[in-house]
Amino acid sequence: MHLFSENLAVEITAYYRNLALGHGVIPKVFTLVNAQGSQYLFFIDHLPLKEDEVDQFLSFIVQEHDAVCYARGTLVILEKADQLIEFAVIDQDDDQAIVCSAQLTRDVDGKPIGLSEFEKILAPKKTIFFGGLFNPVTLSADKADEFESLWDEMRPKILHRTMGI
């Protein structure tokens, strides 16, 4: 497993803890890191795409930026009082993914007030719903142009930084 994958798992746990407890929000998050350590992080909640196009777009971005790993996270509502924040880190060169999950506690008004420690397990990446974004995606020229334009539009709003090696 690439060192960036391990670091990404640690960072996303802190990121979600801050978002949930500090700001009261739990967005769907996507982040990737390339071999040079360049990281991009953005919310996917409001992408102006049809549901079936989101994975195509994310796969396009993973491939365009030569990602070595990526992570995707979300809120999972099992029942109103039983909620989890879950994410998985997918490494290009490893058959195992890092899957992390934490129990979210809300007050009577629905505001997040507690988050357990994230439990980390390894799972076969082929079992992860979005685990195949490294697989080549074939797009029409129009679709590729559409995705490139969307990415260009999003870039000023994306958290971009360099991870330490």
Side-chain angles (χ1 to χ4, degrees), residues 144-161:
D145 287 345
E146 177 186 335
F147 286 172
E148 188 64 44
S149 293
L150 175 58
W151 181 250
D152 289 343
E153 182 181 318
M154 292 171 59
R155 277 188 89 131
K157 302 172 203 153
I158 292 174
L159 172 66
H160 177 227
R161 69 178 197 90

Side-chain angles (χ1 to χ4, degrees), residues 87-100:
F87 68 90
V89 179
I90 310 297
D91 188 285
Q92 181 179 30
D93 297 325
D94 200 313
D95 290 335
Q96 298 289 312
I98 301 170
V99 178
C100 298

